[in-house]
Amino acid sequence: YDYTANIGPNRASIRYVEDVSFTDGSNFGLPASAEYPWSSKFLQYEHALVTVDDDCKMILWDQYGDNEEQDAVNLASSAVLQELCTVGFISPPMCAGFGIIVADPTPTPKTPKSPKTSKSPKTPKSSKRA
């Protein structure tokens, strides 16, 4: 925490910086990558107003931060989820729960081609008789 203060009876103000680091993908069996969203790093500046009861049990954690910083983390998280869904690491139903629709990896049976219609057979040329 870079700032803490008692701001009233049973109330405190806490300010801190959250360091958000994304995987390089290798822990999911993917080749390590430093290309976005993999290996991304973000700092989020957070502030919380905390209320506790008389036994010092937390009853309210009212946290806020910068919307732009949170949007950047959310966007990178969505991109990682999309990648993991695309490679099949996350099941299609779970991906759908995140709003990500992936193509069904089950191959669809090929429809048989219709037989070619043949032209009427050519009549053989008559052989010349001597």
Side-chain angles (χ1 to χ4, degrees):
Y1 304 112
D2 65 349
Y3 172 81
T4 59
N6 287 320
I7 57 172
N10 297 352
R11 298 209 57 216
S13 174
I14 302 170
R15 191 176 65 196
Y16 59 97
V17 179
E18 190 173 0
D19 184 356
V20 181
S21 298
F22 282 76
T23 176
D24 66 0
S26 61
N27 54 330
F28 295 108
L30 301 172
S33 175
E35 188 176 325
Y36 179 88
W38 307 109
S39 302
S40 295
K41 296 186 181 308
F42 301 93
L43 292 179
Q44 291 184 283
Y45 294 85
E46 307 284 352
H47 189 193
L49 301 175
V50 183
T51 304
V52 297
D53 65 14
D54 289 334
D55 293 325
C56 206
K57 292 182 183 172
M58 187 175 9
I59 58 175
L60 178 65
W61 178 278
D62 187 13
Q63 176 180 319
Y64 59 93
D66 184 278
N67 289 343
E68 184 177 2
E69 292 170 353
Q70 187 62 52
D71 289 346
V73 170
N74 291 347
L75 189 61
S77 296
S78 293
V80 166
L81 285 172
Q82 178 70 54
E83 290 285 330
L84 294 176
C85 287
T86 299
V87 299
F89 188 83
I90 301 175
S91 69
M94 187 173 285
C95 293
F98 291 116
I100 300 170
I101 306 301
V102 292
D104 185 0
T106 309
T108 55
K110 293 183 179 181
T111 53
K113 293 182 180 179
S114 58
K116 290 185 178 180
T117 55
S118 60
K119 297 179 182 176
S120 58
K122 292 184 179 180
T123 52
K125 293 183 180 176
S126 57
S127 54
K128 293 186 180 178
R129 294 191 179 182

